[in-house]
């Protein structure tokens, strides 16, 4: 299954938030990375499934780690 487009934002405490874009309507849904579980259902307000599978969640965690490394945050 294709991974929905996502981006990572860090708050002032360097907690990662995943911003997932719906491919149907373009709406962006924000979820804390630590609150997401592999294969847990996440739907856009338009009803489209925007869930991150295990591979997408792994990619999000790796991207968050790269950002934190760039900011020299553990």
């Amino acid at each position: 299954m294709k991974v929905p487009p996502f981006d990572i934002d860090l708050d002032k405490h360097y907690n990662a938030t995943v911003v997932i874009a719906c491919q149907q309507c373009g709406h962006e849904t924000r979820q804390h990375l630590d609150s997401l579980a592999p294969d847990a259902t996440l739907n856009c307000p338009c009803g489209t499934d925007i869930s991150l599978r295990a591979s997408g969640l792994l990619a999000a965690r790796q991207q968050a780690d790269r950002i934190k490394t760039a900011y020299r945050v553990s």
Side-chain angles (χ1 to χ4, degrees):
M1 180 172 196
K2 190 175 176 183
V3 175
F6 68 87
D7 197 10
I8 301 291
D9 287 339
L10 297 179
D11 65 15
K12 66 181 181 180
H13 302 290
Y14 299 105
N15 297 314
T17 298
V18 180
V19 182
I20 305 169
C22 177
Q23 293 179 318
Q24 296 297 318
C25 70
H27 182 266
E28 292 182 345
T29 301
R30 302 174 64 82
Q31 291 287 319
H32 288 284
L33 180 57
D34 292 336
S35 71
L36 294 174
D39 301 323
T41 302
L42 183 62
N43 291 319
C44 177
C46 75
T48 303
D49 180 19
I50 55 171
S51 304
L52 287 177
R53 304 294 174 233
S55 61
L57 212 48
L58 178 62
R61 287 193 175 107
Q62 289 172 342
Q63 184 173 342
D65 288 341
R66 285 192 300 272
I67 293 169
K68 288 179 181 180
T69 299
Y71 283 113
R72 296 188 170 117
V73 177
S74 56

